Amino acid sequence: MWEETFKTHTDSKPNGPSSVGLDFSLPGFEHVYGIPEHADNLRLRTTENTDPYRLYNLDVFQYELYNTMALYGAVPLLLAHNVQRTLGIFWLNAAESWVDISSNTAGKTLLGKMLQYIQGGDETPQTDVRWMSESGIIDVFILLGPSPSDVFKQYGSLTGTQALPPYFSLGYHQCRWNYNDEEDVRNVDAGFDEHNLPYDVIWLDIEHADGKRYFTWDPHKFPTPKNMLTGLKEKRRKMVTIVDPHIKIDSGYRIHSEIRSRNFYIKTKDGGDYEGWCWPGSAAYPDFTNPDMRAWWSSMFSYDQYEGSMDNLFVWNDMNEPSVFNGPEVTMHKDAVHWGGWEHRDVHNLYGLYVHRATAEGLIHRSGGKERPFVLTRAFFAGSQRYGAVWTGDNAAEWEHLKISLPMCLSLALVGISFCGADVGGFFKNPEPELLVRWYQAGAYQPFFRAHAHLDTPRREPWLHGEANTELIREALLQRYTLLPYWYTLFYNAHRDAEPVMRPLWVEFPSDVSTFAMDDQYLLGSALLVHPVTESGARGLQIYLPGTGEVWYDVHTHQKYESPQKLYQPVTMSSIPVFQRGGSIIPRKNRQRRSSDCMEDDPFTLYVALDLRGEAQGNLYLDDGHSFSYQQNEFLYRKFTHSHGKLTSSSLDLNGKFDTPSWLERVVIIGAAAKPNIVTLYQPGGSEVHLEFDYNAQTSVITVRKPGVNIASDFTISFR
């Protein structure tokens, strides 16, 4: 009992075997969610006949779908929902954990439930959840809701909210393992301009470094990184390089020598530096649980330490589970020892969070605390949302992997991690053009939008698949970029109020039982419903439009649908089924540019989708997009309201002040019952201005041209 063997590995247990566990019964609940990361449906299954859901961060090669196996990250938060309330159980433990779920309604068919009802059976549905962790203490928070937003706020008060990302990071990211050299980077960058495709960030994987020595550049492939970064900066674009937490053991490598001299490496149970095998070969692992180590690591991102770096270079932390190729389950031995004497078994699931934190703090530190960081991480834990973005790891170019990306990101959003996406096109294997196009269309409506591919796959830049497919990808990219003001506003709401950016339908329609297990469609904020096409050869989709007495509008045709209803929507290869909710106002920027930075001062268009009462409202958040100045009230938070034939703009936060040249170029009123006689603009202290407009009786859309007001100003537009 004092040691355990796993294949060729032995795990010594100097404190003896241990575990902690607790059972929870949830009377009245049939639907539970959360505890990512698993490649499974949004609604958690019962595990009476399978292994429990495992929470143990692992570098999993080509993971299986619809499985309870552990993946790259772990958030021990489970949510339960019924028509009366939502609640959460937060099991704060970073050791290997298992979650066993049982239910008294599991396996009962709808017919069986009806029969029980007819026979007068009154068994209350109940879900039972057993939590088990290998070490640590029982430290549990019960989040009582009662609404979904209450649970999100309660959890956010414990672990923090989503960091407000820099604006550029919401654009499109182009990555593969690996862009070969500086010329390759220039050619790919030029290809986007040549084919009139917007993008914001190009990424470099492990081959860019000198022999996988992070914080360095290959002297032959990337001899002049500052010239390369300057070229990108002139086009208002960025670069991300990978910095992994396994350090090549090489006495001539400064990073290794400094970590060893400062005694910052994780130790073996016998007191020596823990060594394992990873991309550079023999490697050692910095102890990120040590605050002194984290501070030193952060200092390495300073421009005078990370040679060749500039302010448009950002960072990607991969392999931070941690990945140890020759370790048990491709990770670290549990009896390795961290700062303060903690065994690795106690803190395993925290390691990736601490790497992410130290890196994000490094990017903040290099700017003197002025600039927001962008850091992507593969491993994560509760609270990782405070430091940046995550992605769903090494997926494959298969339709089922495209399909599973939706519930995987929805599960993460429910536990506070809104900035999530999946590798567009699939990391492994080669997507057929149809799959690639559909993945771009789906990715354009997920929070983190990056294409990525394995070293051994053929090149798949967006223009390499024929003009017809390039055009379809271009359209998906443009839809993403026009919606950036809305995305940014949603992320501000996530940062301020812990509201998930991407959310299951039941979050907005908590009493609609038909939405409780739905994960092939979702909402962005409360205003956009998205149902990506995830089936090969699809000719049509069944789409559910929720909400009693509400209306939805197809964003492409403006056709109106009353809800609730199930709708059969025919699709072609150009279709991305998206619907705007009646009663919402969405700001867009419709001018095409090469990157989000180039759109900074562009004018806005407001899309006003009227509800059945002719009313609508929406918000716009705006700041400089990159600094922490918003914390000193340098921002705009505007509210737009349409009521009784008037569209008004007012400030939602009078403390905020931000100067912008952006103006209102167009207003589109969707669902207008009749053509107005006159459209008039009023501003405080200004004269009345009659505006030009068109009315399309076929689509019931009023288009108002060039109101011309600054987007930061108060105004009223009257329709009479």
Side-chain angles (χ1 to χ4, degrees), residues 233-309:
K233 189 170 185 175
E234 287 169 353
K235 291 186 175 182
R236 301 177 78 170
R237 289 174 174 149
K238 327 290 181 193
M239 174 172 275
V240 166
T241 51
I242 199 165
V243 179
D244 287 351
H246 49 258
I247 303 301
K248 184 179 178 67
I249 295 174
D250 173 1
S251 59
Y253 176 27
R254 179 175 67 97
I255 299 293
H256 165 69
S257 298
E258 286 207 34
I259 295 175
R260 177 157 282 177
S261 69
R262 294 168 186 260
N263 202 29
F264 281 162
Y265 280 129
I266 296 170
K267 306 302 178 188
T268 66
K269 67 180 190 300
D270 301 318
D273 287 347
Y274 181 92
E275 296 182 8
W277 200 260
C278 207
W279 293 127
S282 188
Y285 293 78
D287 186 356
F288 285 89
T289 66
N290 183 340
D292 293 336
M293 165 60 212
R294 292 200 302 272
W296 177 85
W297 179 268
S298 294
S299 73
M300 289 299 100
F301 291 95
S302 297
Y303 300 122
D304 60 345
Q305 295 292 333
Y306 189 171
E307 197 172 336
S309 67

Side-chain angles (χ1 to χ4, degrees), residues 24 77-78 88-92 139-144 158:
F24 296 83
L77 171 64
L78 179 138
I89 303 171
F90 178 36
W91 177 265
L92 184 50
D139 191 4
V140 188
F141 298 82
I142 309 299
L143 314 175
L144 290 175
L158 295 172

Side-chain angles (χ1 to χ4, degrees), residues 133-361:
S133 293
E134 184 186 359
S135 67
I137 61 171
I138 294 176
D139 191 4
V140 188
F141 298 82
I142 309 299
L143 314 175
L144 290 175
S147 73
S149 63
D150 291 329
V151 171
F152 301 143
K153 285 186 176 71
Q154 288 154 9
Y155 179 70
S157 73
L158 295 172
T159 66
T161 61
Q162 178 69 57
L164 182 61
Y167 195 88
F168 79 84
S169 63
L170 301 179
Y172 171 64
H173 300 249
Q174 181 66 36
C175 183
R176 75 172 278 110
W177 175 23
N178 204 86
Y179 286 118
N180 299 326
D181 49 32
E182 290 180 13
E183 183 182 11
D184 197 7
V185 169
R186 281 192 296 272
N187 289 339
V188 171
D189 176 69
F192 277 87
D193 295 333
E194 182 184 340
H195 295 91
N196 201 23
L197 298 161
Y199 93 101
D200 266 82
V201 193
I202 190 164
W203 292 51
L204 295 179
D205 211 317
I206 55 177
E207 311 301 332
H208 85 277
D210 182 10
K212 318 295 194 296
R213 298 171 181 87
Y214 306 109
F215 298 100
T216 72
W217 304 83
D218 185 300
H220 306 293
K221 297 176 180 177
F222 296 93
T224 58
K226 281 196 173 179
N227 290 347
M228 175 178 64
L229 288 165
T230 299
L232 290 170
K233 189 170 185 175
E234 287 169 353
K235 291 186 175 182
R236 301 177 78 170
R237 289 174 174 149
K238 327 290 181 193
M239 174 172 275
V240 166
T241 51
I242 199 165
V243 179
D244 287 351
H246 49 258
I247 303 301
K248 184 179 178 67
I249 295 174
D250 173 1
S251 59
Y253 176 27
R254 179 175 67 97
I255 299 293
H256 165 69
S257 298
E258 286 207 34
I259 295 175
R260 177 157 282 177
S261 69
R262 294 168 186 260
N263 202 29
F264 281 162
Y265 280 129
I266 296 170
K267 306 302 178 188
T268 66
K269 67 180 190 300
D270 301 318
D273 287 347
Y274 181 92
E275 296 182 8
W277 200 260
C278 207
W279 293 127
S282 188
Y285 293 78
D287 186 356
F288 285 89
T289 66
N290 183 340
D292 293 336
M293 165 60 212
R294 292 200 302 272
W296 177 85
W297 179 268
S298 294
S299 73
M300 289 299 100
F301 291 95
S302 297
Y303 300 122
D304 60 345
Q305 295 292 333
Y306 189 171
E307 197 172 336
S309 67
M310 289 174 47
D311 60 0
N312 63 331
L313 182 70
F314 297 87
V315 181
W316 168 21
N317 293 145
D318 197 1
M319 316 298 284
N320 54 339
E321 291 74 29
S323 177
V324 184
F325 290 166
N326 59 338
E329 295 191 273
V330 199
T331 193
M332 188 167 287
H333 292 75
K334 288 183 175 180
D335 58 9
V337 180
H338 288 261
W339 174 76
W342 293 96
E343 283 190 284
H344 186 70
R345 79 180 74 251
D346 303 316
V347 299
H348 173 85
N349 287 345
L350 272 173
Y351 188 79
L353 175 142
Y354 277 133
V355 177
H356 196 196
R357 172 181 173 176
T359 302
E361 289 174 349

Side-chain angles (χ1 to χ4, degrees), residues 645-648 664 667 679-682 691 707 715-719:
K646 292 181 179 179
L647 174 67
T648 60
L664 183 59
V667 176
V679 178
T680 309
L681 170 69
Y682 302 90
L691 302 176
F715 63 82
T716 299
I717 298 175
S718 172
F719 300 83

Side-chain angles (χ1 to χ4, degrees), residues 485-495 499 501 503 524-526:
Y486 181 64
W487 280 107
Y488 197 56
T489 301
L490 292 181
F491 268 95
Y492 176 68
N493 294 335
H495 175 59
E499 295 178 6
V501 170
R503 58 189 73 159
L524 294 178
S526 61

